[in-house]
Amino acid sequence: MYSRWVERLTDVSISGFLWAFRIVIVLVVVVGSALTLTQGKYSLATWIDLALNGLSLGSIYALIALGYTMVYGILGMINFAHGEIFMAGAFGGYFAAVGLAQAGLLNLNPLTAVLSVVIMIAVAMAVSTTLAVLVERIAYRPLRKAPRLIPLIAAIGASFFLQYTFRGLFGPGIYAYPAVDVLGEAVPLSFIRLRWVDVLVVVSAFVMMAGLYLFVMRTKVGTAIRAVSEDKDIAALMGIDVNRAIVTTFAVGAAMAGAAGVLYALMFRQVFFFSGFIPGIKAFTAAVLGGIGNVPGAMLGGLFLGQAESIGPTLFLDGFGVPSPNQLRDVIAFTMLVLVLVFRPSGILGERVTEHKA
Amino acid sequence: MTGDANGTGGDVILRLEDVNTYYGRIHALQGIDLEVQRGEIVTLIGANGAGKTTALKTVSGLLHPPMGKIIFDGADVTHVAAHELVRAGIGHVPEGRRIFARLTVLENLHMGGFTRSVAERSEDLERALTLFPRLRERLSQKGGSLSGGEQQMLAIGRALMSRPRLLLLDEPSLGLSPILVQQIFELIKEINSQGMTILLVEQNALQALNVAHRGYVLQTGKIILSDTASGLAANADVRRAYLGEI
């Protein structure tokens, strides 16, 4: 009798706490936004700037998030080494850019600049794909039949291994990305401030996402990947080589991450051995936000996270007089991760994951 | 291609020789010998847990026997992977249908024809849809939205898309209404009359023996009896144990 009361009390206090949590979050968002907007410190142009910045950032998160979500879909594991695959791509692009700069092509004229960027992205995709396929073969495939926690630990190990391999190879220093001058210039539009690099990031990210979506939904191999995600034994009975489908998934996800690595580095102009960690974990957040395992969800989650990070701090926190709220963008991103995991673990577009992946 | 049977007098498409399979740590098949001739319907009957499903999974390569030999169409396929056996000509309709619920009906059928070229595939698709007209109206629907009977039709149609020479059917009547059960067995006869060799596992032993030419009785991983279907149906022990007679 007594223990049942304790149980009731625990239940009530937990749900009470969760409701308080919800109310506090909603209050911060609503009151903060109202205060910020009524103070009128920021012009419309500033908000548009923030939104455009969020769009660039968000499309990069979306590209990386696709790799997390596809691998989760097919293997039910979080590939924590994905951030390092992204970083390796950025390094690949860096060396291509240095080579192109030495050959004098990088800034010769806008045409060679664009071609150079294409080459950088291609090199990055190749580097990332090779690395991801190796990681899958060496670290994950032997653990295919192991309990779910074990490949997860292997992934964390692979992540550290890659980080410190790159540190060993290229040192702990930060490499400044060679400047592509055209990309830094402003787009000649009177009503918004926009650099060419943002146009490049958003356009190439959207083209790649559309390509990936068509690949997954319309092609024979893409359909086979979805079939393997659903039921490996039955997929094998269809004549699908399950291992090949899994490797293809890793390769495609890594290619997106490699391209994202170059785009990110072109925006922030630097790369070092640890530079995959934060974007990686942000993209993981985006994948969870959209519903992990869900391809359109990852795209949506990435774009949403980009906006939340870019507009959120100013909109929600500035009104409370928080000094330099932009320093708190990571807090916003990870608060969102916690909120999603607590209140809607299946994400925005997600199905109830537990039913399928038991 | 046609490995003529050694002294059995028929055209053997599948032979199991002393096959032992483990399911985890359970010794599920304990030295199975079995033969299927081209054009036959052979049925495996037995109680729950006798090893019927394990036997089919072993033939289609989902499980590999550490001991024994499987000969399909004259070639030793004991250690061939499941996805390669599809190319060799084995189609497997698994227990519980196992439709890809999140793929459309058309995509399910296309996956069935994964090993075929696009041109061959459209021809096979037409054949499957002629056999199962109900599926034609549902092509763009998700597999998971179909009724049990429709899912069973899709599962069989999907397996036929690879143009198998041997079709393994695992409990096709499970969970279906009596009318649908009747339809499924009619269909099995029809597919067989078009030349398909079928190895059928059924809980519903009476129906299975009705359509089959020959049968084997499995009990705790061993074959205890084999005869023509009518012979088995007339056997007193079989009637008592599997046909519900006292």
Side-chain angles (χ1 to χ4, degrees):
Chain A
M1 197 63 192
Y2 174 71
S3 70
R4 195 180 299 165
W5 273 105
V6 173
E7 242 171 66
R8 279 283 299 278
L9 212 63
T10 325
D11 282 354
V12 168
S13 48
I14 287 176
S15 68
F17 173 76
L18 287 180
W19 271 106
F21 194 36
R22 272 182 242 217
I23 290 166
V24 166
I25 294 290
V26 169
L27 275 180
V28 168
V29 167
V30 172
V31 176
S33 312
L35 284 173
T36 311
L37 291 174
T38 49
Q39 283 168 10
K41 256 203 295 192
Y42 300 97
S43 66
L44 183 62
T46 315
W47 294 117
I48 293 176
D49 271 359
L50 287 174
L52 287 173
N53 186 275
L55 184 62
S56 307
L57 204 59
S59 32
I60 289 175
Y61 290 156
L63 275 184
I64 313 172
L66 286 168
Y68 280 107
T69 226
M70 286 179 68
V71 166
Y72 184 87
I74 204 159
L75 286 183
M77 80 176 255
I78 308 290
N79 179 14
F80 278 115
H82 195 55
E84 278 56 55
I85 301 293
F86 159 89
M87 175 270 294
F91 261 109
Y94 168 81
F95 289 112
V98 169
L100 289 161
Q102 272 168 2
L105 290 170
L106 196 58
N107 285 311
L108 186 64
N109 60 47
L111 181 67
T112 58
V114 170
L115 282 177
S116 300
V117 170
V118 171
I119 293 172
M120 283 158 67
I121 290 179
V123 169
M125 286 170 123
V127 169
S128 293
T129 304
T130 313
L131 208 55
V133 169
L134 283 175
V135 168
E136 192 276 331
R137 189 72 196 77
I138 295 166
Y140 301 156
R141 196 183 297 182
L143 303 173
R144 192 74 55 73
K145 297 227 160 68
R148 292 182 66 176
L149 191 57
I150 289 168
L152 207 68
I153 294 167
I156 294 171
S159 163
F160 282 129
F161 176 84
L162 291 176
Q163 270 175 25
Y164 288 95
T165 302
F166 273 78
R167 187 187 150 120
L169 288 174
F170 305 118
I174 294 176
Y175 288 68
Y177 235 62
V180 185
D181 296 338
V182 208
L183 293 180
E185 286 168 22
V187 180
L189 287 170
S190 55
F191 52 98
I192 45 172
R193 268 194 331 182
L194 198 60
R195 290 176 310 158
W196 282 111
V197 65
D198 296 311
V199 177
L200 171 82
V201 166
V202 174
V203 168
S204 42
F206 273 82
V207 166
M208 273 186 277
M209 282 191 270
L212 180 99
Y213 187 77
L214 289 178
F215 168 74
V216 172
M217 298 309 290
R218 293 283 143 80
T219 65
K220 186 170 162 183
V221 176
T223 313
I225 286 176
R226 284 184 289 138
V228 173
S229 299
E230 213 171 303
D231 194 331
K232 287 180 190 48
D233 275 354
I234 303 305
L237 290 182
M238 304 291 106
I240 298 167
D241 185 340
V242 171
N243 276 326
R244 219 156 100 191
I246 291 172
V247 168
T248 310
T249 307
F250 271 89
V252 170
M256 299 282 145
V262 170
L263 297 177
Y264 191 80
L266 285 172
M267 269 181 82
F268 296 100
R269 302 279 314 282
Q270 52 170 259
V271 58
F272 66 114
F273 76 98
F274 201 59
S275 64
F277 181 71
I278 291 290
I281 221 149
K282 291 275 181 63
F284 168 64
T285 303
V288 173
L289 209 61
I292 193 142
N294 184 313
V295 168
M299 302 180 190
L300 205 70
L303 293 173
F304 186 72
L305 186 66
Q307 295 302 342
E309 246 192 73
S310 187
I311 299 180
T314 313
L315 184 63
F316 305 148
L317 300 177
D318 197 77
F320 293 114
V322 177
S324 51
N326 261 317
Q327 300 287 331
L328 292 172
R329 62 190 336 179
D330 292 359
V331 174
I332 296 227
F334 297 127
T335 306
M336 277 170 62
L337 178 61
V338 173
L339 287 176
V340 170
L341 288 177
V342 171
F343 294 115
R344 195 178 156 81
S346 54
I348 304 171
L349 295 185
E351 312 152 54
R352 261 159 279 130
V353 176
T354 43
E355 265 177 27
H356 295 288
K357 307 283 174 185
Chain B
M1 285 295 270
T2 47
D4 202 42
N6 311 330
T8 49
D11 183 6
V12 175
I13 190 165
L14 176 76
R15 184 159 66 234
L16 273 62
E17 290 173 6
D18 190 30
V19 167
N20 285 266
T21 306
Y22 290 80
Y23 207 84
R25 297 177 61 179
I26 301 161
H27 195 173
L29 294 184
Q30 307 175 4
I32 296 284
D33 292 284
L34 179 156
E35 230 177 54
V36 180
Q37 299 186 11
R38 216 174 287 273
E40 269 189 317
I41 301 180
V42 173
T43 183
L44 278 178
I45 56 179
N48 259 336
K52 298 171 304 212
T53 295
T54 309
L56 291 196
K57 283 187 173 176
T58 306
V59 172
S60 67
L62 285 180
L63 296 171
H64 292 289
M67 276 180 292
K69 224 167 149 185
I70 302 170
I71 315 236
F72 176 68
D73 227 357
D76 185 341
V77 296
T78 317
H79 302 290
V80 177
H83 67 93
E84 284 163 16
L85 282 176
V86 179
R87 269 171 223 279
I90 295 182
H92 185 167
V93 180
E95 186 179 2
R97 319 187 239 288
R98 309 270 287 269
I99 292 302
F100 298 115
R102 283 174 277 168
L103 267 54
T104 64
V105 170
L106 182 64
E107 284 171 338
N108 266 286
L109 289 168
H110 277 168
M111 285 299 101
F114 186 79
T115 55
R116 316 268 298 161
S117 77
V118 175
E120 294 169 321
R121 212 172 61 178
S122 56
E123 186 186 314
D124 296 338
L125 182 66
E126 209 38 57
R127 233 163 34 104
L129 292 178
T130 318
L131 206 53
F132 305 104
R134 284 276 285 285
L135 295 180
R136 197 187 289 275
E137 314 149 26
R138 309 225 184 281
L139 281 179
S140 57
Q141 248 171 270
K142 289 260 188 285
S145 71
L146 299 187
S147 72
E150 289 166 340
Q151 287 196 3
Q152 188 61 63
M153 290 174 191
L154 179 54
I156 296 174
R158 184 176 68 173
L160 291 176
M161 287 290 289
S162 65
R163 291 243 176 174
R165 277 171 293 154
L166 170 67
L167 187 65
L168 312 176
L169 287 173
D170 198 346
E171 305 275 9
S173 75
L174 197 74
L176 299 185
S177 71
I179 297 170
L180 278 171
V181 171
Q182 211 47 53
Q183 276 181 22
I184 291 284
F185 279 103
E186 288 300 321
L187 197 95
I188 292 171
K189 260 196 245 172
E190 188 184 331
I191 298 171
N192 176 251
S193 70
Q194 290 168 12
M196 181 71 67
T197 311
I198 293 171
L199 179 55
L200 170 69
V201 158
E202 257 297 337
Q203 194 101 128
N204 192 336
L206 183 64
Q207 292 271 23
L209 290 174
N210 260 335
V211 295
H213 301 104
R214 291 190 304 116
Y216 292 85
V217 180
L218 261 175
Q219 194 181 323
T220 54
K222 295 191 181 92
I223 285 174
I224 54 162
L225 208 57
S226 78
D227 201 346
T228 60
S230 50
L232 285 178
N235 184 302
D237 289 335
V238 173
R239 295 187 77 85
R240 202 167 33 246
Y242 306 106
L243 303 181
E245 277 185 19
I246 308 158

